[in-house]
Amino acid sequence: MPMRVYLVIFLVACPWEGFAQRTTDFYKRQTDQRSFIGLRAGINYSHTAVRAYNVGPLAGMRPFAGFYLGGFFQKNLQSDLVYRLDANVQMKGVRVLNASGNVGIRAKYYYVGFTPQFGIQLMRQLTMYAGPELNIMLAKHDEIGRNSYPVEVGATVRLLYSFRTLGVEFSYFRSFTQYDFLTFGQTSTAGYRHDFYNRNLQVGLVYRFN
């Protein structure tokens, strides 16, 4: 075969080879935008916020260490933007001291909750999420006011540091609705009343299924 024929074949084949390489890289990038599911579990540290009406602060309220356990679905929307939906079971609570300074009540509240969030990848392994949270009360034990509300609505911020399929997660939740209240003499909002709101710090592990 003449040398000119070899030269023509070489010049025609080179662009197609480059196109094939770019196509392969495109599919590699597509795999980074996949969806996946995972599990999360850890400690749920509750610190109750108290709002008082026509009465002074309520003494004797102490933080409570509970737990959370759940799963999540995540979809990568863009290179740095993700959507995540969590479903969790949580135990929250509060400790109340008696007159002698000992713990007299260990109030426990059990919830099932859902948290839709959007996340931004701050670094290669660090992602921050934020979104609303809806919790439905399943059960309670030694509630402090015996007037507990069945639904809780608030906002959540999460910070996840990932090591391949494992991760460490820190979360903060602030409720916009009270979970319980106490009244003294009068039952109206303008009377002597304390409203209790959940504030929760979660620290735990995340496992992602590939």
PDB file of all heavy atoms in Angstrom, residues 160-187:
ATOM      1  N   LEU A 160     -21.686  17.548  56.651  1.00  0.00           N
ATOM      2  CA  LEU A 160     -21.238  16.163  56.458  1.00  0.00           C
ATOM      3  C   LEU A 160     -19.821  16.146  55.904  1.00  0.00           C
ATOM      4  O   LEU A 160     -19.542  16.776  54.881  1.00  0.00           O
ATOM      5  CB  LEU A 160     -22.176  15.437  55.492  1.00  0.00           C
ATOM      6  CG  LEU A 160     -21.749  14.036  55.045  1.00  0.00           C
ATOM      7  CD1 LEU A 160     -21.707  13.077  56.229  1.00  0.00           C
ATOM      8  CD2 LEU A 160     -22.680  13.507  53.959  1.00  0.00           C
ATOM      9  N   TYR A 161     -18.951  15.403  56.600  1.00  0.00           N
ATOM     10  CA  TYR A 161     -17.594  15.169  56.106  1.00  0.00           C
ATOM     11  C   TYR A 161     -17.498  13.697  55.746  1.00  0.00           C
ATOM     12  O   TYR A 161     -17.684  12.822  56.601  1.00  0.00           O
ATOM     13  CB  TYR A 161     -16.546  15.525  57.174  1.00  0.00           C
ATOM     14  CG  TYR A 161     -15.135  15.501  56.640  1.00  0.00           C
ATOM     15  CD1 TYR A 161     -14.612  16.607  55.975  1.00  0.00           C
ATOM     16  CD2 TYR A 161     -14.329  14.380  56.788  1.00  0.00           C
ATOM     17  CE1 TYR A 161     -13.322  16.600  55.483  1.00  0.00           C
ATOM     18  CE2 TYR A 161     -13.031  14.361  56.288  1.00  0.00           C
ATOM     19  CZ  TYR A 161     -12.538  15.477  55.630  1.00  0.00           C
ATOM     20  OH  TYR A 161     -11.272  15.464  55.123  1.00  0.00           O
ATOM     21  N   SER A 162     -17.210  13.408  54.472  1.00  0.00           N
ATOM     22  CA  SER A 162     -17.289  12.048  53.945  1.00  0.00           C
ATOM     23  C   SER A 162     -15.910  11.429  53.755  1.00  0.00           C
ATOM     24  O   SER A 162     -14.964  12.100  53.329  1.00  0.00           O
ATOM     25  CB  SER A 162     -18.027  12.036  52.602  1.00  0.00           C
ATOM     26  OG  SER A 162     -19.326  12.560  52.744  1.00  0.00           O
ATOM     27  N   PHE A 163     -15.834  10.127  54.051  1.00  0.00           N
ATOM     28  CA  PHE A 163     -14.665   9.308  53.743  1.00  0.00           C
ATOM     29  C   PHE A 163     -15.158   8.158  52.869  1.00  0.00           C
ATOM     30  O   PHE A 163     -15.571   7.121  53.393  1.00  0.00           O
ATOM     31  CB  PHE A 163     -14.025   8.731  55.009  1.00  0.00           C
ATOM     32  CG  PHE A 163     -13.762   9.741  56.089  1.00  0.00           C
ATOM     33  CD1 PHE A 163     -14.727  10.019  57.037  1.00  0.00           C
ATOM     34  CD2 PHE A 163     -12.549  10.397  56.158  1.00  0.00           C
ATOM     35  CE1 PHE A 163     -14.479  10.934  58.047  1.00  0.00           C
ATOM     36  CE2 PHE A 163     -12.296  11.306  57.174  1.00  0.00           C
ATOM     37  CZ  PHE A 163     -13.266  11.582  58.108  1.00  0.00           C
ATOM     38  N   ARG A 164     -15.196   8.385  51.550  1.00  0.00           N
ATOM     39  CA  ARG A 164     -15.742   7.381  50.633  1.00  0.00           C
ATOM     40  C   ARG A 164     -17.189   7.054  51.012  1.00  0.00           C
ATOM     41  O   ARG A 164     -18.063   7.892  50.896  1.00  0.00           O
ATOM     42  CB  ARG A 164     -14.856   6.138  50.581  1.00  0.00           C
ATOM     43  CG  ARG A 164     -13.442   6.388  50.034  1.00  0.00           C
ATOM     44  CD  ARG A 164     -12.607   5.121  50.042  1.00  0.00           C
ATOM     45  NE  ARG A 164     -11.270   5.362  49.548  1.00  0.00           N
ATOM     46  CZ  ARG A 164     -10.886   5.155  48.307  1.00  0.00           C
ATOM     47  NH1 ARG A 164     -11.742   4.669  47.433  1.00  0.00           N
ATOM     48  NH2 ARG A 164      -9.650   5.423  47.927  1.00  0.00           N
ATOM     49  N   THR A 165     -17.462   5.837  51.517  1.00  0.00           N
ATOM     50  CA  THR A 165     -18.840   5.445  51.846  1.00  0.00           C
ATOM     51  C   THR A 165     -19.222   5.799  53.278  1.00  0.00           C
ATOM     52  O   THR A 165     -20.395   5.709  53.649  1.00  0.00           O
ATOM     53  CB  THR A 165     -19.045   3.935  51.639  1.00  0.00           C
ATOM     54  OG1 THR A 165     -18.120   3.219  52.459  1.00  0.00           O
ATOM     55  CG2 THR A 165     -18.829   3.557  50.180  1.00  0.00           C
ATOM     56  N   LEU A 166     -18.260   6.193  54.115  1.00  0.00           N
ATOM     57  CA  LEU A 166     -18.534   6.569  55.498  1.00  0.00           C
ATOM     58  C   LEU A 166     -18.417   8.071  55.668  1.00  0.00           C
ATOM     59  O   LEU A 166     -17.709   8.747  54.919  1.00  0.00           O
ATOM     60  CB  LEU A 166     -17.567   5.861  56.448  1.00  0.00           C
ATOM     61  CG  LEU A 166     -17.735   4.352  56.628  1.00  0.00           C
ATOM     62  CD1 LEU A 166     -16.636   3.815  57.536  1.00  0.00           C
ATOM     63  CD2 LEU A 166     -19.109   4.009  57.190  1.00  0.00           C
ATOM     64  N   GLY A 167     -19.119   8.600  56.680  1.00  0.00           N
ATOM     65  CA  GLY A 167     -19.051  10.015  56.940  1.00  0.00           C
ATOM     66  C   GLY A 167     -19.377  10.344  58.382  1.00  0.00           C
ATOM     67  O   GLY A 167     -19.998   9.542  59.095  1.00  0.00           O
ATOM     68  N   VAL A 168     -18.955  11.525  58.802  1.00  0.00           N
ATOM     69  CA  VAL A 168     -19.288  12.064  60.121  1.00  0.00           C
ATOM     70  C   VAL A 168     -20.184  13.275  59.902  1.00  0.00           C
ATOM     71  O   VAL A 168     -19.863  14.154  59.086  1.00  0.00           O
ATOM     72  CB  VAL A 168     -18.022  12.458  60.900  1.00  0.00           C
ATOM     73  CG1 VAL A 168     -18.391  13.063  62.248  1.00  0.00           C
ATOM     74  CG2 VAL A 168     -17.120  11.242  61.091  1.00  0.00           C
ATOM     75  N   GLU A 169     -21.299  13.335  60.635  1.00  0.00           N
ATOM     76  CA  GLU A 169     -22.296  14.376  60.384  1.00  0.00           C
ATOM     77  C   GLU A 169     -22.637  15.121  61.669  1.00  0.00           C
ATOM     78  O   GLU A 169     -22.818  14.518  62.731  1.00  0.00           O
ATOM     79  CB  GLU A 169     -23.560  13.740  59.801  1.00  0.00           C
ATOM     80  CG  GLU A 169     -24.575  14.740  59.294  1.00  0.00           C
ATOM     81  CD  GLU A 169     -25.692  14.055  58.526  1.00  0.00           C
ATOM     82  OE1 GLU A 169     -26.427  13.250  59.139  1.00  0.00           O
ATOM     83  OE2 GLU A 169     -25.827  14.310  57.318  1.00  0.00           O
ATOM     84  N   PHE A 170     -22.745  16.458  61.547  1.00  0.00           N
ATOM     85  CA  PHE A 170     -23.174  17.330  62.627  1.00  0.00           C
ATOM     86  C   PHE A 170     -24.417  18.075  62.158  1.00  0.00           C
ATOM     87  O   PHE A 170     -24.423  18.644  61.063  1.00  0.00           O
ATOM     88  CB  PHE A 170     -22.073  18.327  62.992  1.00  0.00           C
ATOM     89  CG  PHE A 170     -20.779  17.689  63.417  1.00  0.00           C
ATOM     90  CD1 PHE A 170     -19.813  17.367  62.476  1.00  0.00           C
ATOM     91  CD2 PHE A 170     -20.535  17.411  64.753  1.00  0.00           C
ATOM     92  CE1 PHE A 170     -18.615  16.781  62.855  1.00  0.00           C
ATOM     93  CE2 PHE A 170     -19.345  16.814  65.144  1.00  0.00           C
ATOM     94  CZ  PHE A 170     -18.388  16.499  64.193  1.00  0.00           C
ATOM     95  N   SER A 171     -25.464  18.093  62.991  1.00  0.00           N
ATOM     96  CA  SER A 171     -26.721  18.729  62.610  1.00  0.00           C
ATOM     97  C   SER A 171     -27.243  19.586  63.760  1.00  0.00           C
ATOM     98  O   SER A 171     -27.028  19.265  64.939  1.00  0.00           O
ATOM     99  CB  SER A 171     -27.787  17.686  62.248  1.00  0.00           C
ATOM    100  OG  SER A 171     -27.330  16.796  61.262  1.00  0.00           O
ATOM    101  N   TYR A 172     -27.956  20.664  63.388  1.00  0.00           N
ATOM    102  CA  TYR A 172     -28.631  21.506  64.372  1.00  0.00           C
ATOM    103  C   TYR A 172     -30.068  21.725  63.922  1.00  0.00           C
ATOM    104  O   TYR A 172     -30.323  22.087  62.767  1.00  0.00           O
ATOM    105  CB  TYR A 172     -27.934  22.854  64.540  1.00  0.00           C
ATOM    106  CG  TYR A 172     -28.653  23.769  65.508  1.00  0.00           C
ATOM    107  CD1 TYR A 172     -28.572  23.552  66.884  1.00  0.00           C
ATOM    108  CD2 TYR A 172     -29.429  24.818  65.045  1.00  0.00           C
ATOM    109  CE1 TYR A 172     -29.244  24.369  67.771  1.00  0.00           C
ATOM    110  CE2 TYR A 172     -30.101  25.652  65.929  1.00  0.00           C
ATOM    111  CZ  TYR A 172     -30.009  25.426  67.291  1.00  0.00           C
ATOM    112  OH  TYR A 172     -30.678  26.236  68.169  1.00  0.00           O
ATOM    113  N   PHE A 173     -31.015  21.480  64.846  1.00  0.00           N
ATOM    114  CA  PHE A 173     -32.440  21.658  64.568  1.00  0.00           C
ATOM    115  C   PHE A 173     -33.011  22.669  65.544  1.00  0.00           C
ATOM    116  O   PHE A 173     -32.731  22.633  66.742  1.00  0.00           O
ATOM    117  CB  PHE A 173     -33.180  20.330  64.700  1.00  0.00           C
ATOM    118  CG  PHE A 173     -34.687  20.462  64.718  1.00  0.00           C
ATOM    119  CD1 PHE A 173     -35.393  20.652  63.541  1.00  0.00           C
ATOM    120  CD2 PHE A 173     -35.389  20.397  65.916  1.00  0.00           C
ATOM    121  CE1 PHE A 173     -36.776  20.781  63.557  1.00  0.00           C
ATOM    122  CE2 PHE A 173     -36.771  20.519  65.941  1.00  0.00           C
ATOM    123  CZ  PHE A 173     -37.462  20.706  64.760  1.00  0.00           C
ATOM    124  N   ARG A 174     -33.865  23.570  65.013  1.00  0.00           N
ATOM    125  CA  ARG A 174     -34.576  24.553  65.846  1.00  0.00           C
ATOM    126  C   ARG A 174     -36.049  24.492  65.489  1.00  0.00           C
ATOM    127  O   ARG A 174     -36.432  24.682  64.339  1.00  0.00           O
ATOM    128  CB  ARG A 174     -34.024  25.956  65.618  1.00  0.00           C
ATOM    129  CG  ARG A 174     -34.739  27.055  66.423  1.00  0.00           C
ATOM    130  CD  ARG A 174     -34.576  26.832  67.910  1.00  0.00           C
ATOM    131  NE  ARG A 174     -34.868  28.005  68.695  1.00  0.00           N
ATOM    132  CZ  ARG A 174     -36.062  28.314  69.206  1.00  0.00           C
ATOM    133  NH1 ARG A 174     -37.105  27.531  68.965  1.00  0.00           N
ATOM    134  NH2 ARG A 174     -36.222  29.398  69.939  1.00  0.00           N
ATOM    135  N   SER A 175     -36.869  24.208  66.497  1.00  0.00           N
ATOM    136  CA  SER A 175     -38.310  24.097  66.260  1.00  0.00           C
ATOM    137  C   SER A 175     -38.971  25.474  66.272  1.00  0.00           C
ATOM    138  O   SER A 175     -38.637  26.331  67.095  1.00  0.00           O
ATOM    139  CB  SER A 175     -38.944  23.206  67.339  1.00  0.00           C
ATOM    140  OG  SER A 175     -40.339  23.145  67.171  1.00  0.00           O
ATOM    141  N   PHE A 176     -39.933  25.662  65.359  1.00  0.00           N
ATOM    142  CA  PHE A 176     -40.740  26.883  65.334  1.00  0.00           C
ATOM    143  C   PHE A 176     -42.027  26.715  66.133  1.00  0.00           C
ATOM    144  O   PHE A 176     -42.718  27.703  66.399  1.00  0.00           O
ATOM    145  CB  PHE A 176     -41.094  27.256  63.889  1.00  0.00           C
ATOM    146  CG  PHE A 176     -39.894  27.462  63.007  1.00  0.00           C
ATOM    147  CD1 PHE A 176     -39.921  27.065  61.678  1.00  0.00           C
ATOM    148  CD2 PHE A 176     -38.745  28.054  63.497  1.00  0.00           C
ATOM    149  CE1 PHE A 176     -38.825  27.254  60.862  1.00  0.00           C
ATOM    150  CE2 PHE A 176     -37.637  28.240  62.683  1.00  0.00           C
ATOM    151  CZ  PHE A 176     -37.681  27.846  61.361  1.00  0.00           C
ATOM    152  N   THR A 177     -42.369  25.499  66.478  1.00  0.00           N
ATOM    153  CA  THR A 177     -43.600  25.202  67.218  1.00  0.00           C
ATOM    154  C   THR A 177     -43.244  24.538  68.546  1.00  0.00           C
ATOM    155  O   THR A 177     -42.299  23.765  68.624  1.00  0.00           O
ATOM    156  CB  THR A 177     -44.527  24.274  66.414  1.00  0.00           C
ATOM    157  OG1 THR A 177     -43.817  23.052  66.124  1.00  0.00           O
ATOM    158  CG2 THR A 177     -44.931  24.927  65.104  1.00  0.00           C
ATOM    159  N   GLN A 178     -44.004  24.824  69.601  1.00  0.00           N
ATOM    160  CA  GLN A 178     -43.719  24.242  70.901  1.00  0.00           C
ATOM    161  C   GLN A 178     -44.125  22.769  70.936  1.00  0.00           C
ATOM    162  O   GLN A 178     -45.058  22.357  70.255  1.00  0.00           O
ATOM    163  CB  GLN A 178     -44.423  25.012  72.018  1.00  0.00           C
ATOM    164  CG  GLN A 178     -45.951  24.983  71.948  1.00  0.00           C
ATOM    165  CD  GLN A 178     -46.514  26.193  71.258  1.00  0.00           C
ATOM    166  OE1 GLN A 178     -46.033  26.581  70.204  1.00  0.00           O
ATOM    167  NE2 GLN A 178     -47.548  26.769  71.848  1.00  0.00           N
ATOM    168  N   TYR A 179     -43.398  22.002  71.731  1.00  0.00           N
ATOM    169  CA  TYR A 179     -43.744  20.597  71.880  1.00  0.00           C
ATOM    170  C   TYR A 179     -44.540  20.340  73.160  1.00  0.00           C
ATOM    171  O   TYR A 179     -45.136  19.276  73.324  1.00  0.00           O
ATOM    172  CB  TYR A 179     -42.487  19.721  71.842  1.00  0.00           C
ATOM    173  CG  TYR A 179     -41.570  19.835  73.039  1.00  0.00           C
ATOM    174  CD1 TYR A 179     -41.766  19.060  74.183  1.00  0.00           C
ATOM    175  CD2 TYR A 179     -40.480  20.702  73.011  1.00  0.00           C
ATOM    176  CE1 TYR A 179     -40.915  19.163  75.270  1.00  0.00           C
ATOM    177  CE2 TYR A 179     -39.630  20.791  74.088  1.00  0.00           C
ATOM    178  CZ  TYR A 179     -39.843  20.028  75.219  1.00  0.00           C
ATOM    179  OH  TYR A 179     -38.994  20.123  76.288  1.00  0.00           O
ATOM    180  N   ASP A 180     -44.554  21.313  74.091  1.00  0.00           N
ATOM    181  CA  ASP A 180     -45.308  21.171  75.342  1.00  0.00           C
ATOM    182  C   ASP A 180     -45.414  22.548  75.981  1.00  0.00           C
ATOM    183  O   ASP A 180     -44.733  23.492  75.574  1.00  0.00           O
ATOM    184  CB  ASP A 180     -44.593  20.191  76.274  1.00  0.00           C
ATOM    185  CG  ASP A 180     -45.571  19.408  77.153  1.00  0.00           C
ATOM    186  OD1 ASP A 180     -46.700  19.908  77.362  1.00  0.00           O
ATOM    187  OD2 ASP A 180     -45.217  18.318  77.609  1.00  0.00           O
ATOM    188  N   PHE A 181     -46.273  22.669  77.022  1.00  0.00           N
ATOM    189  CA  PHE A 181     -46.368  23.920  77.752  1.00  0.00           C
ATOM    190  C   PHE A 181     -46.905  23.667  79.155  1.00  0.00           C
ATOM    191  O   PHE A 181     -47.526  22.630  79.441  1.00  0.00           O
ATOM    192  CB  PHE A 181     -47.235  24.946  77.012  1.00  0.00           C
ATOM    193  CG  PHE A 181     -48.708  24.615  76.971  1.00  0.00           C
ATOM    194  CD1 PHE A 181     -49.574  25.052  77.969  1.00  0.00           C
ATOM    195  CD2 PHE A 181     -49.224  23.883  75.915  1.00  0.00           C
ATOM    196  CE1 PHE A 181     -50.913  24.759  77.916  1.00  0.00           C
ATOM    197  CE2 PHE A 181     -50.579  23.592  75.856  1.00  0.00           C
ATOM    198  CZ  PHE A 181     -51.427  24.023  76.852  1.00  0.00           C
ATOM    199  N   LEU A 182     -46.659  24.620  80.053  1.00  0.00           N
ATOM    200  CA  LEU A 182     -47.156  24.597  81.418  1.00  0.00           C
ATOM    201  C   LEU A 182     -47.935  25.885  81.676  1.00  0.00           C
ATOM    202  O   LEU A 182     -47.520  26.960  81.246  1.00  0.00           O
ATOM    203  CB  LEU A 182     -46.003  24.504  82.418  1.00  0.00           C
ATOM    204  CG  LEU A 182     -45.402  23.126  82.699  1.00  0.00           C
ATOM    205  CD1 LEU A 182     -44.176  23.287  83.590  1.00  0.00           C
ATOM    206  CD2 LEU A 182     -46.412  22.199  83.346  1.00  0.00           C
ATOM    207  N   THR A 183     -49.053  25.772  82.389  1.00  0.00           N
ATOM    208  CA  THR A 183     -49.825  26.947  82.784  1.00  0.00           C
ATOM    209  C   THR A 183     -49.935  26.984  84.295  1.00  0.00           C
ATOM    210  O   THR A 183     -49.905  25.954  84.962  1.00  0.00           O
ATOM    211  CB  THR A 183     -51.234  26.921  82.163  1.00  0.00           C
ATOM    212  OG1 THR A 183     -51.900  25.717  82.573  1.00  0.00           O
ATOM    213  CG2 THR A 183     -51.165  26.974  80.649  1.00  0.00           C
ATOM    214  N   PHE A 184     -50.082  28.199  84.826  1.00  0.00           N
ATOM    215  CA  PHE A 184     -50.183  28.403  86.268  1.00  0.00           C
ATOM    216  C   PHE A 184     -51.393  29.283  86.551  1.00  0.00           C
ATOM    217  O   PHE A 184     -51.339  30.496  86.390  1.00  0.00           O
ATOM    218  CB  PHE A 184     -48.920  29.060  86.822  1.00  0.00           C
ATOM    219  CG  PHE A 184     -47.670  28.288  86.518  1.00  0.00           C
ATOM    220  CD1 PHE A 184     -46.952  28.548  85.364  1.00  0.00           C
ATOM    221  CD2 PHE A 184     -47.226  27.304  87.374  1.00  0.00           C
ATOM    222  CE1 PHE A 184     -45.798  27.839  85.078  1.00  0.00           C
ATOM    223  CE2 PHE A 184     -46.073  26.597  87.093  1.00  0.00           C
ATOM    224  CZ  PHE A 184     -45.359  26.854  85.951  1.00  0.00           C
ATOM    225  N   GLY A 185     -52.492  28.676  86.913  1.00  0.00           N
ATOM    226  CA  GLY A 185     -53.681  29.421  87.296  1.00  0.00           C
ATOM    227  C   GLY A 185     -54.585  29.796  86.140  1.00  0.00           C
ATOM    228  O   GLY A 185     -55.785  29.639  86.205  1.00  0.00           O
ATOM    229  N   GLN A 186     -54.012  30.277  85.030  1.00  0.00           N
ATOM    230  CA  GLN A 186     -54.803  30.682  83.879  1.00  0.00           C
ATOM    231  C   GLN A 186     -54.395  29.834  82.676  1.00  0.00           C
ATOM    232  O   GLN A 186     -53.261  29.416  82.558  1.00  0.00           O
ATOM    233  CB  GLN A 186     -54.593  32.156  83.562  1.00  0.00           C
ATOM    234  CG  GLN A 186     -54.963  33.084  84.721  1.00  0.00           C
ATOM    235  CD  GLN A 186     -54.820  34.535  84.321  1.00  0.00           C
ATOM    236  OE1 GLN A 186     -55.162  34.919  83.219  1.00  0.00           O
ATOM    237  NE2 GLN A 186     -54.307  35.340  85.229  1.00  0.00           N
ATOM    238  N   THR A 187     -55.331  29.590  81.785  1.00  0.00           N
ATOM    239  CA  THR A 187     -55.065  28.738  80.623  1.00  0.00           C
ATOM    240  C   THR A 187     -54.828  29.515  79.342  1.00  0.00           C
ATOM    241  O   THR A 187     -54.442  28.949  78.337  1.00  0.00           O
ATOM    242  CB  THR A 187     -56.248  27.773  80.389  1.00  0.00           C
ATOM    243  OG1 THR A 187     -57.443  28.544  80.197  1.00  0.00           O
ATOM    244  CG2 THR A 187     -56.423  26.847  81.587  1.00  0.00           C
TER     245      THR A 187
END
